[in-house]
Amino acid sequence: MSSSLVWELVKKNNAFLKKNINGIVVSTEPGNLMNKHSYKYSGLANFGKTMDVSADESGLLISTSSKKRAGNLRSFAVKSHARKATKSAVATAGAIRPDLKDAARAKASALAWSLRVKKAAAKTSA
């Protein structure tokens, strides 16, 4: 099936839609980088060309799919520091869908920022 046909079938109602009381519609499907309910970011409609960035205990987890394994995401963990993890996410997005580079950079940097460990403040003696 073509991706536009799939989008026409799932855009009105699917299991991943969350409708807010204020009229905001978000999507929680895997492969949707921005959680926006639109054709561009849809992980269901753009099968085989999806990418997702999520947080793990060890670092960032980057998941990709291919047309051979449509519906199954292959994941790999990036356990390095935040800048390198963000760079890896952008490179992966550039290889799969270059139009999502900025979205991948934004999500990876936000997740890396949330995973950082704050240093404990040194005690001062009076």
mmCIF file with all atom_site columns, all heavy atoms in Angstrom, residues 30-33 51-64 73-78 85 89 104 107-108 110-112 114-115:
data_model
loop_
_atom_site.group_PDB
_atom_site.id
_atom_site.type_symbol
_atom_site.label_atom_id
_atom_site.label_alt_id
_atom_site.label_comp_id
_atom_site.label_asym_id
_atom_site.label_entity_id
_atom_site.label_seq_id
_atom_site.pdbx_PDB_ins_code
_atom_site.Cartn_x
_atom_site.Cartn_y
_atom_site.Cartn_z
_atom_site.occupancy
_atom_site.B_iso_or_equiv
_atom_site.pdbx_formal_charge
_atom_site.auth_seq_id
_atom_site.auth_comp_id
_atom_site.auth_asym_id
_atom_site.auth_atom_id
_atom_site.pdbx_PDB_model_num
ATOM 1   N N   . PRO A 1 30  ? 5.046  4.859  17.470 1.00 0.00 ? 30  PRO A N   1
ATOM 2   C CA  . PRO A 1 30  ? 6.500  4.719  17.339 1.00 0.00 ? 30  PRO A CA  1
ATOM 3   C C   . PRO A 1 30  ? 6.949  5.201  15.969 1.00 0.00 ? 30  PRO A C   1
ATOM 4   O O   . PRO A 1 30  ? 6.283  4.958  14.966 1.00 0.00 ? 30  PRO A O   1
ATOM 5   C CB  . PRO A 1 30  ? 6.739  3.214  17.502 1.00 0.00 ? 30  PRO A CB  1
ATOM 6   C CG  . PRO A 1 30  ? 5.423  2.568  17.281 1.00 0.00 ? 30  PRO A CG  1
ATOM 7   C CD  . PRO A 1 30  ? 4.372  3.580  17.577 1.00 0.00 ? 30  PRO A CD  1
ATOM 8   N N   . GLY A 1 31  ? 8.042  5.929  15.946 1.00 0.00 ? 31  GLY A N   1
ATOM 9   C CA  . GLY A 1 31  ? 8.547  6.457  14.697 1.00 0.00 ? 31  GLY A CA  1
ATOM 10  C C   . GLY A 1 31  ? 8.101  7.883  14.431 1.00 0.00 ? 31  GLY A C   1
ATOM 11  O O   . GLY A 1 31  ? 8.440  8.462  13.412 1.00 0.00 ? 31  GLY A O   1
ATOM 12  N N   . ASN A 1 32  ? 7.352  8.476  15.346 1.00 0.00 ? 32  ASN A N   1
ATOM 13  C CA  . ASN A 1 32  ? 6.889  9.848  15.195 1.00 0.00 ? 32  ASN A CA  1
ATOM 14  C C   . ASN A 1 32  ? 7.783  10.729 16.074 1.00 0.00 ? 32  ASN A C   1
ATOM 15  O O   . ASN A 1 32  ? 7.651  10.745 17.291 1.00 0.00 ? 32  ASN A O   1
ATOM 16  C CB  . ASN A 1 32  ? 5.430  9.962  15.621 1.00 0.00 ? 32  ASN A CB  1
ATOM 17  C CG  . ASN A 1 32  ? 4.824  11.287 15.276 1.00 0.00 ? 32  ASN A CG  1
ATOM 18  O OD1 . ASN A 1 32  ? 5.513  12.283 15.164 1.00 0.00 ? 32  ASN A OD1 1
ATOM 19  N ND2 . ASN A 1 32  ? 3.522  11.289 15.103 1.00 0.00 ? 32  ASN A ND2 1
ATOM 20  N N   . LEU A 1 33  ? 8.711  11.455 15.459 1.00 0.00 ? 33  LEU A N   1
ATOM 21  C CA  . LEU A 1 33  ? 9.698  12.226 16.203 1.00 0.00 ? 33  LEU A CA  1
ATOM 22  C C   . LEU A 1 33  ? 9.108  13.402 16.968 1.00 0.00 ? 33  LEU A C   1
ATOM 23  O O   . LEU A 1 33  ? 9.540  13.701 18.074 1.00 0.00 ? 33  LEU A O   1
ATOM 24  C CB  . LEU A 1 33  ? 10.779 12.753 15.249 1.00 0.00 ? 33  LEU A CB  1
ATOM 25  C CG  . LEU A 1 33  ? 11.845 11.764 14.842 1.00 0.00 ? 33  LEU A CG  1
ATOM 26  C CD1 . LEU A 1 33  ? 12.749 12.378 13.793 1.00 0.00 ? 33  LEU A CD1 1
ATOM 27  C CD2 . LEU A 1 33  ? 12.650 11.324 16.028 1.00 0.00 ? 33  LEU A CD2 1
ATOM 28  N N   . MET A 1 51  ? 12.085 6.767  11.964 1.00 0.00 ? 51  MET A N   1
ATOM 29  C CA  . MET A 1 51  ? 13.167 6.842  12.931 1.00 0.00 ? 51  MET A CA  1
ATOM 30  C C   . MET A 1 51  ? 12.587 7.397  14.217 1.00 0.00 ? 51  MET A C   1
ATOM 31  O O   . MET A 1 51  ? 11.690 8.234  14.191 1.00 0.00 ? 51  MET A O   1
ATOM 32  C CB  . MET A 1 51  ? 14.247 7.780  12.408 1.00 0.00 ? 51  MET A CB  1
ATOM 33  C CG  . MET A 1 51  ? 15.359 7.969  13.360 1.00 0.00 ? 51  MET A CG  1
ATOM 34  S SD  . MET A 1 51  ? 16.259 9.423  12.924 1.00 0.00 ? 51  MET A SD  1
ATOM 35  C CE  . MET A 1 51  ? 17.189 9.590  14.403 1.00 0.00 ? 51  MET A CE  1
ATOM 36  N N   . ASP A 1 52  ? 13.086 6.917  15.345 1.00 0.00 ? 52  ASP A N   1
ATOM 37  C CA  . ASP A 1 52  ? 12.610 7.404  16.628 1.00 0.00 ? 52  ASP A CA  1
ATOM 38  C C   . ASP A 1 52  ? 13.784 7.521  17.583 1.00 0.00 ? 52  ASP A C   1
ATOM 39  O O   . ASP A 1 52  ? 14.723 6.721  17.514 1.00 0.00 ? 52  ASP A O   1
ATOM 40  C CB  . ASP A 1 52  ? 11.555 6.456  17.201 1.00 0.00 ? 52  ASP A CB  1
ATOM 41  C CG  . ASP A 1 52  ? 10.757 7.085  18.323 1.00 0.00 ? 52  ASP A CG  1
ATOM 42  O OD1 . ASP A 1 52  ? 10.673 8.323  18.351 1.00 0.00 ? 52  ASP A OD1 1
ATOM 43  O OD2 . ASP A 1 52  ? 10.217 6.336  19.149 1.00 0.00 ? 52  ASP A OD2 1
ATOM 44  N N   . VAL A 1 53  ? 13.744 8.512  18.446 1.00 0.00 ? 53  VAL A N   1
ATOM 45  C CA  . VAL A 1 53  ? 14.770 8.718  19.462 1.00 0.00 ? 53  VAL A CA  1
ATOM 46  C C   . VAL A 1 53  ? 14.074 8.675  20.806 1.00 0.00 ? 53  VAL A C   1
ATOM 47  O O   . VAL A 1 53  ? 13.075 9.368  21.014 1.00 0.00 ? 53  VAL A O   1
ATOM 48  C CB  . VAL A 1 53  ? 15.475 10.084 19.276 1.00 0.00 ? 53  VAL A CB  1
ATOM 49  C CG1 . VAL A 1 53  ? 16.543 10.270 20.334 1.00 0.00 ? 53  VAL A CG1 1
ATOM 50  C CG2 . VAL A 1 53  ? 16.075 10.193 17.895 1.00 0.00 ? 53  VAL A CG2 1
ATOM 51  N N   . SER A 1 54  ? 14.574 7.840  21.723 1.00 0.00 ? 54  SER A N   1
ATOM 52  C CA  . SER A 1 54  ? 13.989 7.754  23.052 1.00 0.00 ? 54  SER A CA  1
ATOM 53  C C   . SER A 1 54  ? 15.103 7.643  24.091 1.00 0.00 ? 54  SER A C   1
ATOM 54  O O   . SER A 1 54  ? 16.264 7.432  23.760 1.00 0.00 ? 54  SER A O   1
ATOM 55  C CB  . SER A 1 54  ? 13.049 6.548  23.147 1.00 0.00 ? 54  SER A CB  1
ATOM 56  O OG  . SER A 1 54  ? 13.744 5.366  22.828 1.00 0.00 ? 54  SER A OG  1
ATOM 57  N N   . ALA A 1 55  ? 14.716 7.801  25.341 1.00 0.00 ? 55  ALA A N   1
ATOM 58  C CA  . ALA A 1 55  ? 15.686 7.761  26.430 1.00 0.00 ? 55  ALA A CA  1
ATOM 59  C C   . ALA A 1 55  ? 15.732 6.359  27.029 1.00 0.00 ? 55  ALA A C   1
ATOM 60  O O   . ALA A 1 55  ? 14.729 5.652  27.086 1.00 0.00 ? 55  ALA A O   1
ATOM 61  C CB  . ALA A 1 55  ? 15.315 8.772  27.496 1.00 0.00 ? 55  ALA A CB  1
ATOM 62  N N   . ASP A 1 56  ? 16.911 5.985  27.467 1.00 0.00 ? 56  ASP A N   1
ATOM 63  C CA  . ASP A 1 56  ? 17.146 4.702  28.111 1.00 0.00 ? 56  ASP A CA  1
ATOM 64  C C   . ASP A 1 56  ? 17.998 4.970  29.343 1.00 0.00 ? 56  ASP A C   1
ATOM 65  O O   . ASP A 1 56  ? 18.527 6.059  29.507 1.00 0.00 ? 56  ASP A O   1
ATOM 66  C CB  . ASP A 1 56  ? 17.871 3.768  27.127 1.00 0.00 ? 56  ASP A CB  1
ATOM 67  C CG  . ASP A 1 56  ? 17.841 2.317  27.562 1.00 0.00 ? 56  ASP A CG  1
ATOM 68  O OD1 . ASP A 1 56  ? 17.089 2.010  28.499 1.00 0.00 ? 56  ASP A OD1 1
ATOM 69  O OD2 . ASP A 1 56  ? 18.561 1.514  26.963 1.00 0.00 ? 56  ASP A OD2 1
ATOM 70  N N   . GLU A 1 57  ? 18.158 3.987  30.220 1.00 0.00 ? 57  GLU A N   1
ATOM 71  C CA  . GLU A 1 57  ? 18.988 4.182  31.407 1.00 0.00 ? 57  GLU A CA  1
ATOM 72  C C   . GLU A 1 57  ? 20.440 4.463  31.033 1.00 0.00 ? 57  GLU A C   1
ATOM 73  O O   . GLU A 1 57  ? 21.140 5.215  31.692 1.00 0.00 ? 57  GLU A O   1
ATOM 74  C CB  . GLU A 1 57  ? 18.944 2.950  32.317 1.00 0.00 ? 57  GLU A CB  1
ATOM 75  C CG  . GLU A 1 57  ? 17.603 2.658  32.927 1.00 0.00 ? 57  GLU A CG  1
ATOM 76  C CD  . GLU A 1 57  ? 16.750 1.796  32.020 1.00 0.00 ? 57  GLU A CD  1
ATOM 77  O OE1 . GLU A 1 57  ? 17.295 1.028  31.203 1.00 0.00 ? 57  GLU A OE1 1
ATOM 78  O OE2 . GLU A 1 57  ? 15.513 1.915  32.117 1.00 0.00 ? 57  GLU A OE2 1
ATOM 79  N N   . SER A 1 58  ? 20.893 3.850  29.963 1.00 0.00 ? 58  SER A N   1
ATOM 80  C CA  . SER A 1 58  ? 22.298 3.980  29.575 1.00 0.00 ? 58  SER A CA  1
ATOM 81  C C   . SER A 1 58  ? 22.564 5.186  28.679 1.00 0.00 ? 58  SER A C   1
ATOM 82  O O   . SER A 1 58  ? 23.698 5.590  28.513 1.00 0.00 ? 58  SER A O   1
ATOM 83  C CB  . SER A 1 58  ? 22.754 2.710  28.859 1.00 0.00 ? 58  SER A CB  1
ATOM 84  O OG  . SER A 1 58  ? 21.969 2.507  27.713 1.00 0.00 ? 58  SER A OG  1
ATOM 85  N N   . GLY A 1 59  ? 21.547 5.765  28.090 1.00 0.00 ? 59  GLY A N   1
ATOM 86  C CA  . GLY A 1 59  ? 21.741 6.895  27.185 1.00 0.00 ? 59  GLY A CA  1
ATOM 87  C C   . GLY A 1 59  ? 20.572 7.008  26.234 1.00 0.00 ? 59  GLY A C   1
ATOM 88  O O   . GLY A 1 59  ? 19.438 6.714  26.591 1.00 0.00 ? 59  GLY A O   1
ATOM 89  N N   . LEU A 1 60  ? 20.856 7.425  25.018 1.00 0.00 ? 60  LEU A N   1
ATOM 90  C CA  . LEU A 1 60  ? 19.810 7.559  24.007 1.00 0.00 ? 60  LEU A CA  1
ATOM 91  C C   . LEU A 1 60  ? 19.643 6.273  23.217 1.00 0.00 ? 60  LEU A C   1
ATOM 92  O O   . LEU A 1 60  ? 20.610 5.558  22.968 1.00 0.00 ? 60  LEU A O   1
ATOM 93  C CB  . LEU A 1 60  ? 20.137 8.691  23.041 1.00 0.00 ? 60  LEU A CB  1
ATOM 94  C CG  . LEU A 1 60  ? 20.076 10.102 23.595 1.00 0.00 ? 60  LEU A CG  1
ATOM 95  C CD1 . LEU A 1 60  ? 20.375 11.100 22.498 1.00 0.00 ? 60  LEU A CD1 1
ATOM 96  C CD2 . LEU A 1 60  ? 18.748 10.400 24.220 1.00 0.00 ? 60  LEU A CD2 1
ATOM 97  N N   . LEU A 1 61  ? 18.437 5.995  22.835 1.00 0.00 ? 61  LEU A N   1
ATOM 98  C CA  . LEU A 1 61  ? 18.113 4.808  22.051 1.00 0.00 ? 61  LEU A CA  1
ATOM 99  C C   . LEU A 1 61  ? 17.554 5.290  20.714 1.00 0.00 ? 61  LEU A C   1
ATOM 100 O O   . LEU A 1 61  ? 16.542 5.972  20.676 1.00 0.00 ? 61  LEU A O   1
ATOM 101 C CB  . LEU A 1 61  ? 17.079 3.975  22.795 1.00 0.00 ? 61  LEU A CB  1
ATOM 102 C CG  . LEU A 1 61  ? 16.838 2.566  22.345 1.00 0.00 ? 61  LEU A CG  1
ATOM 103 C CD1 . LEU A 1 61  ? 18.089 1.731  22.546 1.00 0.00 ? 61  LEU A CD1 1
ATOM 104 C CD2 . LEU A 1 61  ? 15.703 1.964  23.132 1.00 0.00 ? 61  LEU A CD2 1
ATOM 105 N N   . ILE A 1 62  ? 18.242 4.955  19.623 1.00 0.00 ? 62  ILE A N   1
ATOM 106 C CA  . ILE A 1 62  ? 17.822 5.366  18.292 1.00 0.00 ? 62  ILE A CA  1
ATOM 107 C C   . ILE A 1 62  ? 17.248 4.142  17.587 1.00 0.00 ? 62  ILE A C   1
ATOM 108 O O   . ILE A 1 62  ? 17.909 3.117  17.481 1.00 0.00 ? 62  ILE A O   1
ATOM 109 C CB  . ILE A 1 62  ? 19.004 5.955  17.498 1.00 0.00 ? 62  ILE A CB  1
ATOM 110 C CG1 . ILE A 1 62  ? 19.562 7.172  18.237 1.00 0.00 ? 62  ILE A CG1 1
ATOM 111 C CG2 . ILE A 1 62  ? 18.578 6.315  16.093 1.00 0.00 ? 62  ILE A CG2 1
ATOM 112 C CD1 . ILE A 1 62  ? 20.802 7.735  17.628 1.00 0.00 ? 62  ILE A CD1 1
ATOM 113 N N   . SER A 1 63  ? 16.000 4.266  17.123 1.00 0.00 ? 63  SER A N   1
ATOM 114 C CA  . SER A 1 63  ? 15.312 3.163  16.467 1.00 0.00 ? 63  SER A CA  1
ATOM 115 C C   . SER A 1 63  ? 15.028 3.529  15.021 1.00 0.00 ? 63  SER A C   1
ATOM 116 O O   . SER A 1 63  ? 14.613 4.643  14.725 1.00 0.00 ? 63  SER A O   1
ATOM 117 C CB  . SER A 1 63  ? 13.993 2.863  17.167 1.00 0.00 ? 63  SER A CB  1
ATOM 118 O OG  . SER A 1 63  ? 14.195 2.640  18.537 1.00 0.00 ? 63  SER A OG  1
ATOM 119 N N   . THR A 1 64  ? 15.255 2.578  14.123 1.00 0.00 ? 64  THR A N   1
ATOM 120 C CA  . THR A 1 64  ? 14.996 2.791  12.707 1.00 0.00 ? 64  THR A CA  1
ATOM 121 C C   . THR A 1 64  ? 14.201 1.618  12.155 1.00 0.00 ? 64  THR A C   1
ATOM 122 O O   . THR A 1 64  ? 14.183 0.537  12.731 1.00 0.00 ? 64  THR A O   1
ATOM 123 C CB  . THR A 1 64  ? 16.303 2.911  11.903 1.00 0.00 ? 64  THR A CB  1
ATOM 124 O OG1 . THR A 1 64  ? 17.047 1.704  12.053 1.00 0.00 ? 64  THR A OG1 1
ATOM 125 C CG2 . THR A 1 64  ? 17.129 4.085  12.370 1.00 0.00 ? 64  THR A CG2 1
ATOM 126 N N   . LEU A 1 73  ? 10.928 -1.980 14.513 1.00 0.00 ? 73  LEU A N   1
ATOM 127 C CA  . LEU A 1 73  ? 11.991 -0.996 14.660 1.00 0.00 ? 73  LEU A CA  1
ATOM 128 C C   . LEU A 1 73  ? 13.254 -1.674 15.171 1.00 0.00 ? 73  LEU A C   1
ATOM 129 O O   . LEU A 1 73  ? 13.201 -2.472 16.104 1.00 0.00 ? 73  LEU A O   1
ATOM 130 C CB  . LEU A 1 73  ? 11.570 0.117  15.623 1.00 0.00 ? 73  LEU A CB  1
ATOM 131 C CG  . LEU A 1 73  ? 10.432 1.009  15.166 1.00 0.00 ? 73  LEU A CG  1
ATOM 132 C CD1 . LEU A 1 73  ? 10.058 1.977  16.269 1.00 0.00 ? 73  LEU A CD1 1
ATOM 133 C CD2 . LEU A 1 73  ? 10.821 1.773  13.931 1.00 0.00 ? 73  LEU A CD2 1
ATOM 134 N N   . ARG A 1 74  ? 14.376 -1.383 14.543 1.00 0.00 ? 74  ARG A N   1
ATOM 135 C CA  . ARG A 1 74  ? 15.680 -1.880 14.991 1.00 0.00 ? 74  ARG A CA  1
ATOM 136 C C   . ARG A 1 74  ? 16.303 -0.778 15.834 1.00 0.00 ? 74  ARG A C   1
ATOM 137 O O   . ARG A 1 74  ? 16.392 0.367  15.408 1.00 0.00 ? 74  ARG A O   1
ATOM 138 C CB  . ARG A 1 74  ? 16.568 -2.192 13.801 1.00 0.00 ? 74  ARG A CB  1
ATOM 139 C CG  . ARG A 1 74  ? 17.919 -2.769 14.167 1.00 0.00 ? 74  ARG A CG  1
ATOM 140 C CD  . ARG A 1 74  ? 18.724 -3.064 12.930 1.00 0.00 ? 74  ARG A CD  1
ATOM 141 N NE  . ARG A 1 74  ? 19.014 -1.856 12.182 1.00 0.00 ? 74  ARG A NE  1
ATOM 142 C CZ  . ARG A 1 74  ? 20.153 -1.170 12.279 1.00 0.00 ? 74  ARG A CZ  1
ATOM 143 N NH1 . ARG A 1 74  ? 21.099 -1.570 13.082 1.00 0.00 ? 74  ARG A NH1 1
ATOM 144 N NH2 . ARG A 1 74  ? 20.345 -0.083 11.558 1.00 0.00 ? 74  ARG A NH2 1
ATOM 145 N N   . SER A 1 75  ? 16.734 -1.113 17.041 1.00 0.00 ? 75  SER A N   1
ATOM 146 C CA  . SER A 1 75  ? 17.230 -0.099 17.963 1.00 0.00 ? 75  SER A CA  1
ATOM 147 C C   . SER A 1 75  ? 18.706 -0.296 18.254 1.00 0.00 ? 75  SER A C   1
ATOM 148 O O   . SER A 1 75  ? 19.196 -1.418 18.275 1.00 0.00 ? 75  SER A O   1
ATOM 149 C CB  . SER A 1 75  ? 16.469 -0.162 19.283 1.00 0.00 ? 75  SER A CB  1
ATOM 150 O OG  . SER A 1 75  ? 15.108 0.023  19.074 1.00 0.00 ? 75  SER A OG  1
ATOM 151 N N   . PHE A 1 76  ? 19.392 0.814  18.475 1.00 0.00 ? 76  PHE A N   1
ATOM 152 C CA  . PHE A 1 76  ? 20.756 0.755  18.983 1.00 0.00 ? 76  PHE A CA  1
ATOM 153 C C   . PHE A 1 76  ? 20.946 1.892  19.964 1.00 0.00 ? 76  PHE A C   1
ATOM 154 O O   . PHE A 1 76  ? 20.381 2.968  19.827 1.00 0.00 ? 76  PHE A O   1
ATOM 155 C CB  . PHE A 1 76  ? 21.800 0.794  17.855 1.00 0.00 ? 76  PHE A CB  1
ATOM 156 C CG  . PHE A 1 76  ? 21.758 2.021  16.992 1.00 0.00 ? 76  PHE A CG  1
ATOM 157 C CD1 . PHE A 1 76  ? 22.565 3.111  17.272 1.00 0.00 ? 76  PHE A CD1 1
ATOM 158 C CD2 . PHE A 1 76  ? 20.929 2.073  15.893 1.00 0.00 ? 76  PHE A CD2 1
ATOM 159 C CE1 . PHE A 1 76  ? 22.531 4.229  16.477 1.00 0.00 ? 76  PHE A CE1 1
ATOM 160 C CE2 . PHE A 1 76  ? 20.892 3.196  15.082 1.00 0.00 ? 76  PHE A CE2 1
ATOM 161 C CZ  . PHE A 1 76  ? 21.701 4.279  15.381 1.00 0.00 ? 76  PHE A CZ  1
ATOM 162 N N   . ALA A 1 77  ? 21.724 1.605  21.009 1.00 0.00 ? 77  ALA A N   1
ATOM 163 C CA  . ALA A 1 77  ? 21.933 2.575  22.081 1.00 0.00 ? 77  ALA A CA  1
ATOM 164 C C   . ALA A 1 77  ? 23.194 3.374  21.819 1.00 0.00 ? 77  ALA A C   1
ATOM 165 O O   . ALA A 1 77  ? 24.194 2.856  21.339 1.00 0.00 ? 77  ALA A O   1
ATOM 166 C CB  . ALA A 1 77  ? 22.043 1.857  23.424 1.00 0.00 ? 77  ALA A CB  1
ATOM 167 N N   . VAL A 1 78  ? 23.127 4.661  22.142 1.00 0.00 ? 78  VAL A N   1
ATOM 168 C CA  . VAL A 1 78  ? 24.283 5.550  22.063 1.00 0.00 ? 78  VAL A CA  1
ATOM 169 C C   . VAL A 1 78  ? 24.620 5.919  23.498 1.00 0.00 ? 78  VAL A C   1
ATOM 170 O O   . VAL A 1 78  ? 23.891 6.653  24.146 1.00 0.00 ? 78  VAL A O   1
ATOM 171 C CB  . VAL A 1 78  ? 23.971 6.806  21.226 1.00 0.00 ? 78  VAL A CB  1
ATOM 172 C CG1 . VAL A 1 78  ? 25.183 7.696  21.137 1.00 0.00 ? 78  VAL A CG1 1
ATOM 173 C CG2 . VAL A 1 78  ? 23.487 6.411  19.847 1.00 0.00 ? 78  VAL A CG2 1
ATOM 174 N N   . ALA A 1 85  ? 25.844 11.851 20.927 1.00 0.00 ? 85  ALA A N   1
ATOM 175 C CA  . ALA A 1 85  ? 24.571 11.165 20.735 1.00 0.00 ? 85  ALA A CA  1
ATOM 176 C C   . ALA A 1 85  ? 23.659 11.960 19.813 1.00 0.00 ? 85  ALA A C   1
ATOM 177 O O   . ALA A 1 85  ? 22.993 11.400 18.935 1.00 0.00 ? 85  ALA A O   1
ATOM 178 C CB  . ALA A 1 85  ? 23.896 10.940 22.081 1.00 0.00 ? 85  ALA A CB  1
ATOM 179 N N   . ALA A 1 89  ? 22.216 10.851 16.099 1.00 0.00 ? 89  ALA A N   1
ATOM 180 C CA  . ALA A 1 89  ? 20.794 10.882 15.742 1.00 0.00 ? 89  ALA A CA  1
ATOM 181 C C   . ALA A 1 89  ? 20.574 11.685 14.465 1.00 0.00 ? 89  ALA A C   1
ATOM 182 O O   . ALA A 1 89  ? 19.790 11.289 13.596 1.00 0.00 ? 89  ALA A O   1
ATOM 183 C CB  . ALA A 1 89  ? 19.978 11.469 16.886 1.00 0.00 ? 89  ALA A CB  1
ATOM 184 N N   . ALA A 1 104 ? 14.998 15.461 14.596 1.00 0.00 ? 104 ALA A N   1
ATOM 185 C CA  . ALA A 1 104 ? 15.843 14.498 15.307 1.00 0.00 ? 104 ALA A CA  1
ATOM 186 C C   . ALA A 1 104 ? 16.821 15.215 16.226 1.00 0.00 ? 104 ALA A C   1
ATOM 187 O O   . ALA A 1 104 ? 17.059 14.780 17.355 1.00 0.00 ? 104 ALA A O   1
ATOM 188 C CB  . ALA A 1 104 ? 16.596 13.615 14.318 1.00 0.00 ? 104 ALA A CB  1
ATOM 189 N N   . LYS A 1 107 ? 14.825 16.577 19.336 1.00 0.00 ? 107 LYS A N   1
ATOM 190 C CA  . LYS A 1 107 ? 14.412 15.545 20.290 1.00 0.00 ? 107 LYS A CA  1
ATOM 191 C C   . LYS A 1 107 ? 15.609 14.921 20.987 1.00 0.00 ? 107 LYS A C   1
ATOM 192 O O   . LYS A 1 107 ? 15.581 14.691 22.195 1.00 0.00 ? 107 LYS A O   1
ATOM 193 C CB  . LYS A 1 107 ? 13.584 14.468 19.586 1.00 0.00 ? 107 LYS A CB  1
ATOM 194 C CG  . LYS A 1 107 ? 12.984 13.482 20.563 1.00 0.00 ? 107 LYS A CG  1
ATOM 195 C CD  . LYS A 1 107 ? 11.915 12.647 19.946 1.00 0.00 ? 107 LYS A CD  1
ATOM 196 C CE  . LYS A 1 107 ? 11.260 11.771 20.993 1.00 0.00 ? 107 LYS A CE  1
ATOM 197 N NZ  . LYS A 1 107 ? 10.168 10.997 20.442 1.00 0.00 ? 107 LYS A NZ  1
ATOM 198 N N   . ALA A 1 108 ? 16.681 14.656 20.242 1.00 0.00 ? 108 ALA A N   1
ATOM 199 C CA  . ALA A 1 108 ? 17.869 14.054 20.843 1.00 0.00 ? 108 ALA A CA  1
ATOM 200 C C   . ALA A 1 108 ? 18.518 14.987 21.861 1.00 0.00 ? 108 ALA A C   1
ATOM 201 O O   . ALA A 1 108 ? 18.929 14.557 22.938 1.00 0.00 ? 108 ALA A O   1
ATOM 202 C CB  . ALA A 1 108 ? 18.871 13.669 19.765 1.00 0.00 ? 108 ALA A CB  1
ATOM 203 N N   . ALA A 1 110 ? 17.028 17.407 23.560 1.00 0.00 ? 110 ALA A N   1
ATOM 204 C CA  . ALA A 1 110 ? 16.139 17.533 24.715 1.00 0.00 ? 110 ALA A CA  1
ATOM 205 C C   . ALA A 1 110 ? 16.235 16.306 25.615 1.00 0.00 ? 110 ALA A C   1
ATOM 206 O O   . ALA A 1 110 ? 16.278 16.426 26.850 1.00 0.00 ? 110 ALA A O   1
ATOM 207 C CB  . ALA A 1 110 ? 14.702 17.742 24.250 1.00 0.00 ? 110 ALA A CB  1
ATOM 208 N N   . LEU A 1 111 ? 16.285 15.123 25.015 1.00 0.00 ? 111 LEU A N   1
ATOM 209 C CA  . LEU A 1 111 ? 16.407 13.902 25.822 1.00 0.00 ? 111 LEU A CA  1
ATOM 210 C C   . LEU A 1 111 ? 17.774 13.809 26.498 1.00 0.00 ? 111 LEU A C   1
ATOM 211 O O   . LEU A 1 111 ? 17.879 13.385 27.647 1.00 0.00 ? 111 LEU A O   1
ATOM 212 C CB  . LEU A 1 111 ? 16.161 12.668 24.962 1.00 0.00 ? 111 LEU A CB  1
ATOM 213 C CG  . LEU A 1 111 ? 14.715 12.436 24.559 1.00 0.00 ? 111 LEU A CG  1
ATOM 214 C CD1 . LEU A 1 111 ? 14.627 11.299 23.561 1.00 0.00 ? 111 LEU A CD1 1
ATOM 215 C CD2 . LEU A 1 111 ? 13.859 12.143 25.768 1.00 0.00 ? 111 LEU A CD2 1
ATOM 216 N N   . ALA A 1 112 ? 18.819 14.195 25.789 1.00 0.00 ? 112 ALA A N   1
ATOM 217 C CA  . ALA A 1 112 ? 20.157 14.168 26.379 1.00 0.00 ? 112 ALA A CA  1
ATOM 218 C C   . ALA A 1 112 ? 20.248 15.162 27.534 1.00 0.00 ? 112 ALA A C   1
ATOM 219 O O   . ALA A 1 112 ? 20.889 14.891 28.551 1.00 0.00 ? 112 ALA A O   1
ATOM 220 C CB  . ALA A 1 112 ? 21.205 14.485 25.322 1.00 0.00 ? 112 ALA A CB  1
ATOM 221 N N   . SER A 1 114 ? 17.790 16.020 29.463 1.00 0.00 ? 114 SER A N   1
ATOM 222 C CA  . SER A 1 114 ? 17.033 15.484 30.592 1.00 0.00 ? 114 SER A CA  1
ATOM 223 C C   . SER A 1 114 ? 17.769 14.338 31.287 1.00 0.00 ? 114 SER A C   1
ATOM 224 O O   . SER A 1 114 ? 17.502 14.061 32.454 1.00 0.00 ? 114 SER A O   1
ATOM 225 C CB  . SER A 1 114 ? 15.660 15.009 30.134 1.00 0.00 ? 114 SER A CB  1
ATOM 226 O OG  . SER A 1 114 ? 15.780 13.845 29.353 1.00 0.00 ? 114 SER A OG  1
ATOM 227 N N   . LEU A 1 115 ? 18.686 13.674 30.580 1.00 0.00 ? 115 LEU A N   1
ATOM 228 C CA  . LEU A 1 115 ? 19.413 12.545 31.171 1.00 0.00 ? 115 LEU A CA  1
ATOM 229 C C   . LEU A 1 115 ? 20.675 12.959 31.920 1.00 0.00 ? 115 LEU A C   1
ATOM 230 O O   . LEU A 1 115 ? 21.296 12.139 32.575 1.00 0.00 ? 115 LEU A O   1
ATOM 231 C CB  . LEU A 1 115 ? 19.812 11.548 30.074 1.00 0.00 ? 115 LEU A CB  1
ATOM 232 C CG  . LEU A 1 115 ? 18.686 10.746 29.472 1.00 0.00 ? 115 LEU A CG  1
ATOM 233 C CD1 . LEU A 1 115 ? 19.222 9.896  28.336 1.00 0.00 ? 115 LEU A CD1 1
ATOM 234 C CD2 . LEU A 1 115 ? 18.032 9.867  30.510 1.00 0.00 ? 115 LEU A CD2 1
#
